Amino acid sequence: MNKQGNISMPVIRRLPKYYRTLSELLQNDITRISSKELSIRLGLTASQIRQDLSCFGGFGQQGYGYKVSQLKQEIGNILGMNFKYKTILLGAGNLGKAVAMYMLSKDRSLSICGIFDKDPNIIGKDINNITVSNIDELENFCNINKPEVAIICVPKSNAAPTFDRLYALGIKNYWNFSNYDFNVMHDDVIVENTHISDSFMTLCYLISNQKN
Amino acid sequence: MNKQGNISMPVIRRLPKYYRTLSELLQNDITRISSKELSIRLGLTASQIRQDLSCFGGFGQQGYGYKVSQLKQEIGNILGMNFKYKTILLGAGNLGKAVAMYMLSKDRSLSICGIFDKDPNIIGKDINNITVSNIDELENFCNINKPEVAIICVPKSNAAPTFDRLYALGIKNYWNFSNYDFNVMHDDVIVENTHISDSFMTLCYLISNQKN
C-alpha cells in the first residue's frame, strides 16, 4: 500500500476508526475478517471500505477478506504512527492532564518532552514523571530541545498569545483544544482542532432536531 | 430562517464555527459584517456561506452583509442552544472534570444534574457544587430524575458496560469521549463522538504526510 497525495479529508478522518477497530479485533484474537463483517463493525458499506483503501493502492484479496494485523500495520504506516515527534504541552489543568495521561500512557508517536503552565499551584507538580515547568521557561526550553509539535490546552482567553509565542519559536504543528481558531491566520501551519464546544453544539443540534 | 430536514452533516458541523465566530465578533462590538469579511474569518468562501445559510432559508441582504447578533441568534436557534436537557456525566477523572467545568461554567443547554464515578477517592468530592455520586446509585437516580443525555468520560475498557446500563435506563442521547464506538450497535441512539485518539491519529497523518 503506497501513500498517494490529495487524499480527501473525509477519507483521512475515517482511517483512525479503521485503526481502532482493527486493534480491537486483534485484541479479541480475530486475525482475518471479511469485508462484509468489517463493514458492519465500521458502520460503512463494503464498497465504501474498498473505495477508501483504494486511495492507498487497495488491500485484501477477492474472497479472502482482510488480514487484520497486516491491514492495521499498513494503516498505521499511512497514519504516520511509526514516527516520533518531540512534543510540548501547554496548559496542565484538567484537560491538559487528561491529554498528557493519554499521550504518556502508551508509546505514542507524539512524545511529550515538556509540560508548561503559568499557575504556581500547578508548576513543579509531576504528570506521569514529567514535571510541569513555568511558562516563562518556554523560549529557553524550545531553543535547546527544538520540539516539533505543541498541544494547546490553555483557556481560550490565553490561546492567541500562547500561539504567537510558539509560532515565533518556529513550531508549525499544533493539536488545539482551546476552542480558538489558529489556522485561519497562518497557512503554513498544521492544526488539528479538537473543539469541545463544537462537538457540544453539534450534539445539541442532533438532539433538538430529532425532537422537532 | 426555518429549519429544514436532511441538512448534510458537513453543513451541520460548520454551524458551531459560525456561532463561535459570531460570538467573538459581538464581544469585539462588531455588529454588522460583510459576507466577504465573514468568509475570511471563517476560512470559507462567501459563496459557501451563502450556500450553508440557504439550507436554513437564507439570511442577509445583498450589499448589506449580515447583522451579527441576529445571525448568531438564528444559528443558536438552529443548533438548539435554547433548549435545556437534563444531563448526567459518567467518569469524573481529569477529562470528566474538564468537561464538567466547561458545561457548568456557563448557562449551557446541557444542564448537568448528576456526576458519577466508581473510584472511592473521587466519590463525594464536589465539581462546581455538584457532588460526585457512587455509580451504584445510577439506576435509582435516573429513575427519579429522568436525565435525557449522558456524557461518557469513563475509560474505554469500562465504556461498553456503562453504555449498556444507560441504554437500559432509556437514555438515548450520548456525548461520548471514551474512544469506544456505541452507535454501530444501536440505530435508535444519538451519539456525538469526541474521540481524542482519532484526532491524535489525524494529526499524525497530517504531520507525516507533509514531510514525505
Side-chain angles (χ1 to χ4, degrees):
Chain A
M1 217 187 267
N2 297 313
K3 271 192 202 185
Q4 300 188 0
N6 300 320
I7 310 296
S8 76
M9 277 311 291
V11 175
I12 294 164
R13 291 209 175 274
R14 278 195 290 274
L15 290 181
K17 192 166 181 179
Y18 282 86
Y19 191 82
R20 267 193 294 119
T21 304
L22 292 164
S23 302
E24 283 160 23
L25 289 170
L26 275 188
Q27 278 165 18
N28 294 319
D29 296 324
I30 297 169
T31 56
R32 191 171 275 284
I33 190 162
S34 70
S35 60
K36 189 179 171 191
E37 174 68 22
L38 185 60
S39 75
I40 292 167
R41 291 189 183 245
L42 285 166
L44 299 168
T45 65
S47 151
Q48 179 73 74
I49 293 174
R50 274 193 300 275
Q51 257 181 42
D52 283 354
L53 298 182
S54 75
C55 296
F56 303 98
F59 217 76
Q61 269 183 288
Q62 194 75 35
Y64 290 90
Y66 299 101
K67 197 174 166 190
V68 177
S69 62
Q70 199 176 350
L71 187 56
K72 182 193 162 193
Q73 193 180 349
E74 290 283 355
I75 290 177
N77 289 342
I78 293 165
L79 285 167
M81 305 287 282
N82 307 322
F83 291 93
K84 280 276 173 208
Y85 302 111
K86 270 185 159 179
T87 301
I88 53 174
L89 186 143
L90 291 292
N94 289 316
L95 182 62
K97 264 191 273 183
V99 175
M101 293 299 283
Y102 171 76
M103 300 309 294
L104 294 165
S105 65
K106 288 191 189 169
D107 186 33
R108 311 267 185 205
S109 42
L110 301 192
S111 171
I112 293 182
C113 59
I115 301 177
F116 298 85
D117 206 290
K118 65 173 186 177
D119 183 343
N121 297 316
I122 293 177
I123 294 165
K125 294 214 167 139
D126 272 17
I127 299 178
N128 224 10
N129 294 325
I130 296 191
T131 305
V132 179
S133 302
N134 191 319
I135 187 75
D136 292 345
E137 295 165 28
L138 181 67
E139 278 73 13
N140 192 32
F141 181 94
C142 289
N143 287 332
I144 294 169
N145 293 283
K146 314 277 183 210
E148 299 167 271
V149 182
I151 306 176
I152 315 288
C153 294
V154 302
K156 185 174 182 177
S157 55
N158 197 26
T162 302
F163 177 69
D164 289 343
R165 281 171 80 170
L166 294 165
Y167 187 76
L169 287 161
I171 297 177
K172 298 287 176 73
N173 305 299
Y174 297 89
W175 191 5
N176 175 29
F177 288 85
S178 72
N179 292 329
Y180 170 82
D181 286 310
F182 291 149
N183 46 350
V184 173
M185 296 179 303
H186 297 279
D187 55 10
D188 62 340
V189 299
I190 287 177
V191 182
E192 170 66 12
N193 291 309
T194 305
H195 286 320
I196 287 180
S197 66
D198 287 13
S199 193
F200 157 64
M201 287 190 256
T202 303
L203 178 64
C204 288
Y205 175 87
L206 295 173
I207 297 173
S208 64
N209 205 53
Q210 153 204 241
K211 298 207 167 180
N212 287 325
Chain B
M1 215 187 270
N2 296 313
K3 270 192 201 185
Q4 300 188 1
N6 299 322
I7 310 295
S8 76
M9 277 311 290
V11 175
I12 293 164
R13 290 208 176 275
R14 278 196 289 274
L15 290 181
K17 193 166 179 177
Y18 282 86
Y19 191 82
R20 266 192 295 120
T21 303
L22 292 163
S23 301
E24 283 160 23
L25 290 171
L26 276 188
Q27 278 165 19
N28 294 319
D29 296 325
I30 298 170
T31 55
R32 189 171 277 282
I33 190 164
S34 70
S35 59
K36 189 179 171 191
E37 174 66 21
L38 185 60
S39 74
I40 292 168
R41 292 190 181 245
L42 286 166
L44 299 169
T45 65
S47 150
Q48 179 72 74
I49 293 174
R50 275 193 299 275
Q51 259 182 42
D52 283 353
L53 298 182
S54 74
C55 296
F56 303 98
F59 218 76
Q61 268 183 289
Q62 194 77 34
Y64 291 90
Y66 300 101
K67 199 175 167 192
V68 178
S69 62
Q70 199 176 350
L71 186 57
K72 182 193 161 191
Q73 194 181 347
E74 290 283 353
I75 290 178
N77 289 343
I78 293 165
L79 285 167
M81 305 288 283
N82 306 323
F83 291 93
K84 281 276 173 205
Y85 302 111
K86 269 186 161 179
T87 302
I88 53 173
L89 186 141
L90 291 292
N94 289 316
L95 182 62
K97 263 190 274 183
V99 175
M101 292 301 285
Y102 172 75
M103 300 309 294
L104 294 166
S105 65
K106 288 191 189 167
D107 186 34
R108 312 268 184 204
S109 42
L110 302 192
S111 172
I112 293 182
C113 58
I115 302 177
F116 298 86
D117 206 290
K118 66 173 185 176
D119 182 344
N121 296 315
I122 293 177
I123 294 163
K125 294 212 167 141
D126 271 18
I127 299 178
N128 225 10
N129 294 327
I130 297 191
T131 305
V132 179
S133 301
N134 191 319
I135 187 76
D136 292 346
E137 295 166 26
L138 181 66
E139 278 73 13
N140 192 33
F141 181 94
C142 289
N143 287 332
I144 295 169
N145 292 283
K146 314 277 182 209
E148 299 168 271
V149 183
I151 306 176
I152 314 288
C153 294
V154 302
K156 185 175 182 176
S157 56
N158 198 26
T162 302
F163 177 69
D164 289 344
R165 280 172 80 171
L166 294 165
Y167 187 76
L169 286 161
I171 297 178
K172 297 288 176 73
N173 304 301
Y174 297 89
W175 191 7
N176 175 30
F177 287 85
S178 73
N179 292 329
Y180 170 84
D181 286 309
F182 292 149
N183 45 349
V184 172
M185 298 180 300
H186 298 279
D187 55 9
D188 63 340
V189 299
I190 286 177
V191 183
E192 170 65 11
N193 290 308
T194 304
H195 286 320
I196 287 180
S197 67
D198 287 14
S199 194
F200 156 64
M201 287 190 258
T202 304
L203 178 63
C204 288
Y205 175 87
L206 295 173
I207 297 173
S208 65
N209 205 54
Q210 154 203 241
K211 298 207 169 184
N212 289 323

